[in-house]
């Protein structure tokens, strides 16, 4: 059995901790034979555990503590700590693992709820489970999710070499915003989503670049964001925004402009990885 979970980009600018989009990079987990102890083989380096302390297995055991240990093999082309949902993908893989091995028959809604409890916010885990664009509100007593198709566009990601931990990127955010600022920030997010629902990426892109919740506070951690934004805007992109907590920059552009923008981004920093991705429409999948 194989479990495949997509990468995700969160926020889309002003949809902070609420909006996310699934993308075509994957964590792939092969579930192999039963063993005495959990083993997870991978080539991601010493920082990622090979035993039951791996987040995938820890998550699975939270849902199904009596699971029989297995040998697992993980391959992952989602770069860690870059704002592309690698930890959410691991959490969702753990939920799918428990669901399959313990026959829990969880609904997608239950999977999203459990994953969001672990991650603290639903913007990465919801599209990792459901695919495509998901707009969510995780409240204290309940949660709400709307999945929708994202408009047709080319999607580029500029992935810097250096990692940025989400905790560090959240530590620079303010504790409070004034009522007036919060109303404006919310209005910008509302127009962004309304424009996406109308397939109007020109307007959505303008709103994506006017976030008031997080990007300006994070700018000293991601100085390349504004430069890339200026450059890609001149070349006809719809928008450039921080992918999740960064440092990756996500660029939406008309297809016919994508090749030129991709080439410019490669010149901008030749240590960065620049990729053209698509929207993943299906979310986490089990292949038997
Ligand atoms: N919405 C989150 C943030 C995504 O921007 O901090 C990263 O987990």
């Amino acid at each position: 059995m194989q479990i495949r979970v997509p990468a995700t980009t969160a926020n889309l600018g002003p949809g902070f901790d609420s909006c996310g989009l699934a993308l075509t990079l994957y964590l792939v987990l092969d579930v192999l034979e039963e063993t005495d102890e959990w083993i997870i083989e991978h080539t991601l380096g010493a920082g990622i555990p090979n035993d039951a302390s791996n987040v995938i297995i820890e998550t699975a055991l939270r849902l199904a503590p009596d699971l029989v240990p297995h040998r697992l093999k993980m391959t992952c082309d989602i770069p860690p700590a870059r704002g592309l949902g690698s930890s959410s993908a691991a959490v969702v893989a753990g939920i799918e693992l428990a669901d399959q091995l313990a026959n829990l028959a969880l609904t997608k809604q239950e999977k999203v709820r459990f994953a969001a409890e672990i991650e603290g916010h639903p913007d990465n885990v919801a599209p990792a489970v459901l695919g495509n664009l998901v707009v969510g509100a995780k409240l204290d007593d309940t949660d709400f999710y709307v999945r929708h198709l994202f408009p047709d566009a080319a999607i580029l990601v500029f992935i810097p070499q250096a990692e940025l931990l989400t905790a560090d990127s959240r530590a620079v955010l303010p504790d409070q915003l004034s009522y007036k600022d919060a109303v404006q920030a919310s209005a910008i997010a509302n127009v962004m989503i309304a424009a996406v629902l109308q397939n109007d990426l020109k307007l959505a892109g303008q709103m994506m670049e006017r976030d008031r919740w997080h990007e300006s506070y994070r700018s000293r951690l991601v100085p390349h964001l504004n430069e890339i934004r200026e450059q890609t805007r001149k070349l006809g992109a719809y928008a450039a925004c921080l992918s999740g907590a960064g440092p990756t920059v996500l660029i939406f552009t008309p297809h016919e402009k994508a090749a030129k923008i991709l080439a410019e981004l490669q010149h901008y920093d030749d240590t960065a990885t620049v990729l053209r991705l698509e929207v993943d429409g299906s979310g986490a999948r089990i292949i038997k």
Side-chain angles (χ1 to χ4, degrees):
M1 175 178 67
Q2 190 176 73
I3 298 169
R4 286 167 69 89
V5 186
T8 45
T9 183
N11 301 331
L12 306 179
F16 182 65
D17 278 1
S18 171
C19 299
L21 184 64
L23 298 173
T24 49
L25 292 173
Y26 295 93
L27 184 158
V28 177
L29 189 70
D30 287 298
V31 183
L32 304 170
E33 73 277 6
E34 289 186 6
T35 46
D36 293 336
E37 304 282 342
W38 286 100
I39 306 165
I40 178 159
E41 296 166 358
H42 62 78
T43 53
L44 300 177
I48 311 280
N50 290 98
D51 58 14
S53 66
N54 186 288
V55 67
I56 295 177
I57 302 167
E58 274 187 350
T59 304
L61 292 174
R62 276 172 75 159
L63 269 172
D66 297 329
L67 278 187
V68 175
H70 279 71
R71 184 166 71 91
L72 309 173
K73 185 168 170 237
M74 172 175 64
T75 50
C76 188
D77 55 15
I78 311 171
R82 303 299 207 298
L84 286 166
S86 62
S87 76
S88 292
V91 166
V92 170
I95 292 170
E96 297 290 356
L97 181 65
D99 190 46
Q100 289 297 315
L101 293 184
N103 295 313
L104 300 178
L106 297 174
T107 64
K108 285 188 185 269
Q109 186 84 9
E110 286 167 333
K111 291 175 188 172
V112 172
R113 187 167 298 144
F114 188 72
E117 262 170 43
I118 294 176
E119 283 288 278
H121 32 86
D123 47 354
N124 287 106
V125 293
V129 172
L130 300 167
N132 227 295
L133 171 73
V134 183
V135 182
K138 181 180 180 305
L139 310 180
D140 290 339
D141 55 341
T142 184
D143 43 18
F144 303 92
Y145 299 101
V146 176
R147 179 183 181 277
H148 201 277
L149 303 185
F150 195 77
D152 183 42
I155 300 174
L156 309 178
V157 286
F158 172 90
I159 310 171
Q161 202 175 39
E163 297 184 354
L164 174 56
L165 295 177
T166 298
D168 294 339
S169 186
R170 290 181 86 85
V172 299
L173 302 177
D175 290 333
Q176 296 192 333
L177 283 187
S178 75
Y179 192 79
K180 183 172 167 234
D181 286 348
V183 169
Q184 287 212 333
S186 167
I188 291 165
N190 296 342
V191 177
M192 186 273 282
I193 285 298
V196 165
L197 299 185
Q198 290 199 325
N199 290 327
D200 184 350
L201 270 185
K202 198 157 176 277
L203 176 58
Q206 288 179 53
M207 298 299 111
M208 285 178 189
E209 294 198 343
R210 284 169 193 246
D211 157 70
R212 302 277 180 89
W213 298 114
H214 67 113
E215 285 187 355
S216 63
Y217 304 104
R218 289 171 158 168
S219 61
R220 69 184 161 82
L221 301 176
V222 288
H224 51 278
L225 172 62
N226 281 336
E227 289 173 25
I228 288 176
R229 183 169 279 166
E230 274 174 35
Q231 201 175 349
T232 54
R233 194 186 286 152
K234 277 186 211 145
L235 294 171
Y238 294 123
C241 50
L242 205 57
S243 182
T248 293
V249 178
L250 176 75
I251 297 110
F252 294 111
T253 167
H255 289 284
E256 65 276 15
K257 316 258 180 185
K260 173 110 173 88
I261 294 176
L262 193 77
E264 289 292 323
L265 288 171
Q266 272 154 348
H267 287 142
Y268 173 76
D269 177 354
D270 61 11
T271 68
T273 304
V274 185
L275 301 174
R276 182 169 179 172
L277 302 176
E278 311 281 332
V279 172
D280 171 282
S282 49
R285 277 193 300 146
I286 310 297
I287 299 152
K288 288 189 175 162

